[in-house]
Amino acid sequence: MSSKYQVLCMGNAIVDVIARVDDQFLETHERVKGSMMLVDAETSARLYDDMPPAIERSGGSAGNTAAGIASFGGKAAYIGKVHEDQLGTVFRHDIRAAGVSYETAPSKEGAPTATSMILVTPDGQRTMNTFLGACVELTPDDVHEKEAGGADVLYVEGYLWDTPSMKASVLKAFEIARAAGKQVSLSLSDSFCVDRFRDEFVDLVEKQVDIIFANEDEIKSLYQVDSFDEAVARLRPHVRIAALTRSEKGSVIVTSDAEVAVDAFPTTVEDTTGAGDLFAAGFLFGYTNGHSLEKSAKLGGLAAAEVISHLGARPETNLAALAEEKLGL
């Protein structure tokens, strides 16, 4: 593969506000543990006021993936909308400092840069409360041929289906990538997102997407079945590559005629935020460098293990050095 970028990531540009809370905090604020809930500005502000001391870091699912690819030494680009405000400046600085190409113009009017209040309970589960803010102002005009057609793989987070404008932007990017002979990939993002867009996601997975990323709950939700094996059986006839994560059970890579299981790397779980994002980063870095599906999944598992060992959804250890140490790459 010899494109300008290995992966173009496309998603909601969000600044994460991360705090440790107990289960009672979730009950008091009527939050569903482990979910991503869209909230309005008022709810976001109320949560922020009640949260204990927090850490503010640039995030967003696909942004985390792009940063992970860059940490491996890969060539990544990103499309996502921020406002021309303080948090927008922070986001732009952080993703570029991570080594990711980011050229999306900030909005000068409308809502502020998006934030996600991430509540981490003692079991490491994260409950995200996302105010989309400027993200909803992403339009097809923000998608350019040189980017969408200039990466080996276009990677899109399912959260972009939440507004018609963002969805239209994705479909334009898909069209450009396809016309340029590139591959497209989709993350199902979370089971609540799948519930909102199940019929469209089934159509995308079975007819349009080359590589699908999902965890066990998401793929079971997609097909509304009770077991992982049943979901895989439903998926297999339609899929080119599915990279499915199963937490401590590791991952399973499914193709139309094969299934590869890879064990999870041992780690201490501090915060599960970004686990799926960084698995996708490692897998796509391996895949676009010509590694086998098994080795790509190992790279994904390594990156996921690193990110869940600390607060925050972006790696704190250089992933290229970690891959050399643990996998000899």
Side-chain angles (χ1 to χ4, degrees):
M1 299 183 180
S2 58
S3 300
K4 182 177 181 181
Y5 305 110
Q6 289 169 269
V7 185
L8 169 63
C9 299
M10 189 170 177
N12 289 325
I14 298 171
V15 175
D16 294 335
V17 182
I18 310 165
R20 296 186 185 277
V21 301
D22 55 23
D23 289 340
Q24 183 59 50
F25 187 95
L26 300 185
E27 292 179 18
T28 299
H29 289 273
E30 300 179 332
R31 304 293 96 186
V32 178
K33 182 187 283 193
S35 70
M36 192 292 283
M37 302 177 69
L38 296 179
V39 299
D40 56 22
E42 181 181 352
T43 302
S44 181
R46 184 169 63 251
L47 286 168
Y48 185 78
D49 288 343
D50 287 354
M51 286 166 66
I55 298 170
E56 295 186 359
R57 293 179 177 172
S58 297
S61 178
N64 298 334
T65 299
I69 292 166
S71 184
F72 273 112
K75 296 180 292 182
Y78 179 73
I79 294 175
K81 201 76 167 178
V82 297
H83 193 275
E84 197 172 53
D85 54 16
Q86 183 177 356
L87 288 180
T89 299
V90 168
F91 185 94
R92 291 198 304 273
H93 170 269
D94 285 355
I95 199 164
R96 288 170 175 166
V100 176
S101 175
Y102 177 45
E103 303 299 331
T104 308
S107 59
K108 299 179 185 296
E109 300 177 353
T113 296
T115 55
S116 183
M117 304 301 158
I118 300 180
L119 311 173
V120 182
T121 41
D123 57 3
Q125 285 292 310
R126 85 286 186 268
T127 302
M128 299 186 292
N129 306 272
T130 303
F131 169 56
L132 286 176
C135 292
V136 302
E137 295 173 23
L138 183 74
T139 73
D141 290 340
D142 292 307
V143 178
H144 304 294
E145 189 165 347
K146 67 176 182 178
E147 289 179 313
D152 295 325
V153 177
L154 169 66
Y155 172 81
V156 174
E157 62 182 68
Y159 293 131
L160 287 180
W161 247 250
D162 274 312
T163 73
S165 176
M166 295 191 299
K167 176 181 170 182
S169 303
V170 171
L171 293 176
K172 178 181 177 181
F174 275 11
E175 183 178 351
I176 293 171
R178 288 284 191 211
K182 310 301 184 180
Q183 296 181 37
V184 299
S185 60
L186 174 74
S187 166
L188 295 188
S189 294
D190 74 28
S191 55
F192 296 87
C193 188
V194 174
D195 288 341
R196 293 196 294 275
F197 307 110
R198 179 172 291 105
D199 291 344
E200 290 177 271
F201 280 5
V202 168
D203 183 74
L204 286 169
V205 168
E206 296 187 352
K207 297 178 182 178
Q208 298 190 50
V209 173
D210 297 296
I211 308 171
I212 180 73
F213 291 89
N215 65 26
E216 186 166 355
D217 288 340
E218 291 156 7
I219 203 65
K220 289 193 297 185
S221 176
L222 184 71
Y223 289 107
Q224 296 181 284
V225 295
D226 295 325
S227 77
F228 178 75
D229 290 342
E230 190 175 358
V232 169
R234 292 279 299 275
L235 175 68
R236 179 177 286 111
H238 308 286
V239 74
R240 182 171 176 271
I241 299 173
L244 308 177
T245 56
R246 307 189 71 191
S247 299
E248 70 279 359
K249 297 177 184 176
S251 63
V252 177
I253 311 303
V254 178
T255 67
S256 60
D257 57 2
E259 191 171 313
V260 179
V262 175
D263 291 337
F265 278 86
T267 190
T268 300
V269 179
E270 291 292 331
D271 171 16
T272 58
T273 310
D277 307 335
L278 268 295
F279 179 87
F283 184 90
L284 289 171
F285 173 77
Y287 179 76
T288 55
N289 275 291
H291 292 302
S292 67
L293 296 180
E294 181 179 9
K295 188 161 285 187
S296 297
K298 287 182 177 180
L299 286 164
L302 182 67
E306 191 283 335
V307 83
I308 65 175
S309 70
H310 56 77
L311 275 181
R314 294 193 179 173
E316 293 183 347
T317 301
N318 180 272
L319 295 178
L322 198 61
E324 182 176 3
E325 176 190 347
K326 301 292 186 181
L327 298 174
L329 296 178

PDB file of all heavy atoms in Angstrom, residues 25 29 40 75 94 115 134 136 162 164 218 227 233 253 265 270 308:
ATOM      1  N   PHE A  25     -22.903   7.729  42.358  1.00  0.00           N
ATOM      2  CA  PHE A  25     -22.921   8.925  41.512  1.00  0.00           C
ATOM      3  C   PHE A  25     -23.732   8.657  40.248  1.00  0.00           C
ATOM      4  O   PHE A  25     -24.528   9.498  39.812  1.00  0.00           O
ATOM      5  CB  PHE A  25     -21.491   9.339  41.151  1.00  0.00           C
ATOM      6  CG  PHE A  25     -21.391  10.661  40.430  1.00  0.00           C
ATOM      7  CD1 PHE A  25     -21.139  11.830  41.123  1.00  0.00           C
ATOM      8  CD2 PHE A  25     -21.546  10.733  39.050  1.00  0.00           C
ATOM      9  CE1 PHE A  25     -21.035  13.051  40.461  1.00  0.00           C
ATOM     10  CE2 PHE A  25     -21.449  11.938  38.375  1.00  0.00           C
ATOM     11  CZ  PHE A  25     -21.195  13.107  39.086  1.00  0.00           C
ATOM     12  N   HIS A  29     -27.394  10.483  39.232  1.00  0.00           N
ATOM     13  CA  HIS A  29     -27.560  11.231  37.978  1.00  0.00           C
ATOM     14  C   HIS A  29     -28.252  10.402  36.885  1.00  0.00           C
ATOM     15  O   HIS A  29     -28.304  10.832  35.732  1.00  0.00           O
ATOM     16  CB  HIS A  29     -26.208  11.740  37.499  1.00  0.00           C
ATOM     17  CG  HIS A  29     -25.656  12.847  38.340  1.00  0.00           C
ATOM     18  ND1 HIS A  29     -25.965  14.154  38.125  1.00  0.00           N
ATOM     19  CD2 HIS A  29     -24.840  12.821  39.427  1.00  0.00           C
ATOM     20  CE1 HIS A  29     -25.350  14.914  39.031  1.00  0.00           C
ATOM     21  NE2 HIS A  29     -24.664  14.126  39.830  1.00  0.00           N
ATOM     22  N   ASP A  40     -27.549  17.313  26.527  1.00  0.00           N
ATOM     23  CA  ASP A  40     -27.561  18.715  26.126  1.00  0.00           C
ATOM     24  C   ASP A  40     -26.566  19.507  26.968  1.00  0.00           C
ATOM     25  O   ASP A  40     -25.948  18.981  27.907  1.00  0.00           O
ATOM     26  CB  ASP A  40     -28.970  19.302  26.239  1.00  0.00           C
ATOM     27  CG  ASP A  40     -29.569  19.166  27.634  1.00  0.00           C
ATOM     28  OD1 ASP A  40     -28.804  19.022  28.607  1.00  0.00           O
ATOM     29  OD2 ASP A  40     -30.815  19.217  27.748  1.00  0.00           O
ATOM     30  N   LYS A  75       1.190   6.534   9.400  1.00  0.00           N
ATOM     31  CA  LYS A  75       0.774   7.813   8.812  1.00  0.00           C
ATOM     32  C   LYS A  75      -0.752   7.908   8.897  1.00  0.00           C
ATOM     33  O   LYS A  75      -1.462   7.187   8.193  1.00  0.00           O
ATOM     34  CB  LYS A  75       1.239   7.898   7.359  1.00  0.00           C
ATOM     35  CG  LYS A  75       2.752   7.901   7.190  1.00  0.00           C
ATOM     36  CD  LYS A  75       3.156   7.994   5.734  1.00  0.00           C
ATOM     37  CE  LYS A  75       2.783   6.741   4.960  1.00  0.00           C
ATOM     38  NZ  LYS A  75       3.207   6.797   3.534  1.00  0.00           N
ATOM     39  N   ASP A  94      -3.320  19.030  20.325  1.00  0.00           N
ATOM     40  CA  ASP A  94      -3.021  17.687  20.818  1.00  0.00           C
ATOM     41  C   ASP A  94      -2.914  16.673  19.689  1.00  0.00           C
ATOM     42  O   ASP A  94      -1.996  15.838  19.671  1.00  0.00           O
ATOM     43  CB  ASP A  94      -4.092  17.238  21.811  1.00  0.00           C
ATOM     44  CG  ASP A  94      -3.961  17.912  23.158  1.00  0.00           C
ATOM     45  OD1 ASP A  94      -2.983  18.655  23.361  1.00  0.00           O
ATOM     46  OD2 ASP A  94      -4.846  17.705  24.016  1.00  0.00           O
ATOM     47  N   THR A 115     -17.707  18.202  24.253  1.00  0.00           N
ATOM     48  CA  THR A 115     -17.093  17.634  25.451  1.00  0.00           C
ATOM     49  C   THR A 115     -17.795  16.328  25.805  1.00  0.00           C
ATOM     50  O   THR A 115     -18.968  16.130  25.496  1.00  0.00           O
ATOM     51  CB  THR A 115     -17.187  18.589  26.655  1.00  0.00           C
ATOM     52  OG1 THR A 115     -18.559  18.952  26.854  1.00  0.00           O
ATOM     53  CG2 THR A 115     -16.353  19.839  26.442  1.00  0.00           C
ATOM     54  N   ALA A 134     -19.912  21.434  18.510  1.00  0.00           N
ATOM     55  CA  ALA A 134     -19.527  21.776  17.140  1.00  0.00           C
ATOM     56  C   ALA A 134     -19.452  20.567  16.217  1.00  0.00           C
ATOM     57  O   ALA A 134     -19.446  20.726  14.988  1.00  0.00           O
ATOM     58  CB  ALA A 134     -18.181  22.499  17.147  1.00  0.00           C
ATOM     59  N   VAL A 136     -21.641  18.561  15.314  1.00  0.00           N
ATOM     60  CA  VAL A 136     -22.810  18.446  14.436  1.00  0.00           C
ATOM     61  C   VAL A 136     -22.703  19.380  13.239  1.00  0.00           C
ATOM     62  O   VAL A 136     -23.502  19.284  12.300  1.00  0.00           O
ATOM     63  CB  VAL A 136     -24.116  18.712  15.208  1.00  0.00           C
ATOM     64  CG1 VAL A 136     -24.255  17.739  16.364  1.00  0.00           C
ATOM     65  CG2 VAL A 136     -24.193  20.147  15.700  1.00  0.00           C
ATOM     66  N   ASP A 162     -25.352  10.046  14.059  1.00  0.00           N
ATOM     67  CA  ASP A 162     -26.307  10.700  14.951  1.00  0.00           C
ATOM     68  C   ASP A 162     -26.976  11.937  14.363  1.00  0.00           C
ATOM     69  O   ASP A 162     -28.000  12.380  14.876  1.00  0.00           O
ATOM     70  CB  ASP A 162     -25.649  11.048  16.287  1.00  0.00           C
ATOM     71  CG  ASP A 162     -25.696   9.880  17.264  1.00  0.00           C
ATOM     72  OD1 ASP A 162     -26.776   9.289  17.419  1.00  0.00           O
ATOM     73  OD2 ASP A 162     -24.651   9.550  17.872  1.00  0.00           O
ATOM     74  N   PRO A 164     -28.015  14.022  10.424  1.00  0.00           N
ATOM     75  CA  PRO A 164     -28.017  13.886   8.958  1.00  0.00           C
ATOM     76  C   PRO A 164     -26.786  14.497   8.299  1.00  0.00           C
ATOM     77  O   PRO A 164     -26.257  13.940   7.331  1.00  0.00           O
ATOM     78  CB  PRO A 164     -29.292  14.619   8.547  1.00  0.00           C
ATOM     79  CG  PRO A 164     -30.199  14.520   9.738  1.00  0.00           C
ATOM     80  CD  PRO A 164     -29.283  14.617  10.923  1.00  0.00           C
ATOM     81  N   GLU A 218     -21.778  -5.282  21.005  1.00  0.00           N
ATOM     82  CA  GLU A 218     -22.226  -4.577  19.797  1.00  0.00           C
ATOM     83  C   GLU A 218     -22.627  -5.538  18.688  1.00  0.00           C
ATOM     84  O   GLU A 218     -23.641  -5.340  18.023  1.00  0.00           O
ATOM     85  CB  GLU A 218     -21.112  -3.637  19.316  1.00  0.00           C
ATOM     86  CG  GLU A 218     -20.868  -2.460  20.247  1.00  0.00           C
ATOM     87  CD  GLU A 218     -19.480  -1.868  20.134  1.00  0.00           C
ATOM     88  OE1 GLU A 218     -18.711  -2.278  19.221  1.00  0.00           O
ATOM     89  OE2 GLU A 218     -19.153  -1.010  20.977  1.00  0.00           O
ATOM     90  N   SER A 227     -25.951 -14.939  21.920  1.00  0.00           N
ATOM     91  CA  SER A 227     -24.603 -15.490  22.049  1.00  0.00           C
ATOM     92  C   SER A 227     -23.661 -14.930  20.988  1.00  0.00           C
ATOM     93  O   SER A 227     -24.082 -14.589  19.875  1.00  0.00           O
ATOM     94  CB  SER A 227     -24.630 -17.022  21.935  1.00  0.00           C
ATOM     95  OG  SER A 227     -24.784 -17.431  20.594  1.00  0.00           O
ATOM     96  N   ALA A 233     -21.960 -16.381  13.386  1.00  0.00           N
ATOM     97  CA  ALA A 233     -22.569 -17.196  12.329  1.00  0.00           C
ATOM     98  C   ALA A 233     -23.424 -16.346  11.400  1.00  0.00           C
ATOM     99  O   ALA A 233     -23.457 -16.573  10.181  1.00  0.00           O
ATOM    100  CB  ALA A 233     -23.411 -18.312  12.954  1.00  0.00           C
ATOM    101  N   ILE A 253     -10.868 -12.531  14.879  1.00  0.00           N
ATOM    102  CA  ILE A 253     -10.922 -11.955  13.541  1.00  0.00           C
ATOM    103  C   ILE A 253     -11.673 -12.927  12.643  1.00  0.00           C
ATOM    104  O   ILE A 253     -11.294 -14.102  12.536  1.00  0.00           O
ATOM    105  CB  ILE A 253      -9.515 -11.683  12.973  1.00  0.00           C
ATOM    106  CG1 ILE A 253      -8.662 -10.933  14.003  1.00  0.00           C
ATOM    107  CG2 ILE A 253      -9.623 -10.922  11.659  1.00  0.00           C
ATOM    108  CD1 ILE A 253      -9.244  -9.623  14.469  1.00  0.00           C
ATOM    109  N   PHE A 265      -3.674  -9.342  26.053  1.00  0.00           N
ATOM    110  CA  PHE A 265      -2.446  -9.121  26.794  1.00  0.00           C
ATOM    111  C   PHE A 265      -2.797  -8.864  28.254  1.00  0.00           C
ATOM    112  O   PHE A 265      -3.737  -8.131  28.550  1.00  0.00           O
ATOM    113  CB  PHE A 265      -1.685  -7.918  26.233  1.00  0.00           C
ATOM    114  CG  PHE A 265      -0.855  -8.232  25.025  1.00  0.00           C
ATOM    115  CD1 PHE A 265      -1.426  -8.203  23.761  1.00  0.00           C
ATOM    116  CD2 PHE A 265       0.485  -8.556  25.139  1.00  0.00           C
ATOM    117  CE1 PHE A 265      -0.679  -8.495  22.633  1.00  0.00           C
ATOM    118  CE2 PHE A 265       1.245  -8.850  24.021  1.00  0.00           C
ATOM    119  CZ  PHE A 265       0.670  -8.822  22.771  1.00  0.00           C
ATOM    120  N   GLU A 270      -7.509   0.089  34.666  1.00  0.00           N
ATOM    121  CA  GLU A 270      -7.786   1.319  35.407  1.00  0.00           C
ATOM    122  C   GLU A 270      -8.969   2.077  34.805  1.00  0.00           C
ATOM    123  O   GLU A 270      -9.730   2.717  35.514  1.00  0.00           O
ATOM    124  CB  GLU A 270      -6.547   2.221  35.413  1.00  0.00           C
ATOM    125  CG  GLU A 270      -5.393   1.677  36.239  1.00  0.00           C
ATOM    126  CD  GLU A 270      -5.686   1.667  37.724  1.00  0.00           C
ATOM    127  OE1 GLU A 270      -6.479   2.520  38.182  1.00  0.00           O
ATOM    128  OE2 GLU A 270      -5.141   0.803  38.432  1.00  0.00           O
ATOM    129  N   ILE A 308      -5.907   0.865  28.619  1.00  0.00           N
ATOM    130  CA  ILE A 308      -6.792   0.626  29.763  1.00  0.00           C
ATOM    131  C   ILE A 308      -6.015   0.541  31.079  1.00  0.00           C
ATOM    132  O   ILE A 308      -6.608   0.416  32.143  1.00  0.00           O
ATOM    133  CB  ILE A 308      -7.646  -0.645  29.584  1.00  0.00           C
ATOM    134  CG1 ILE A 308      -6.793  -1.912  29.555  1.00  0.00           C
ATOM    135  CG2 ILE A 308      -8.516  -0.531  28.343  1.00  0.00           C
ATOM    136  CD1 ILE A 308      -7.625  -3.191  29.502  1.00  0.00           C
TER     137      ILE A 308
END
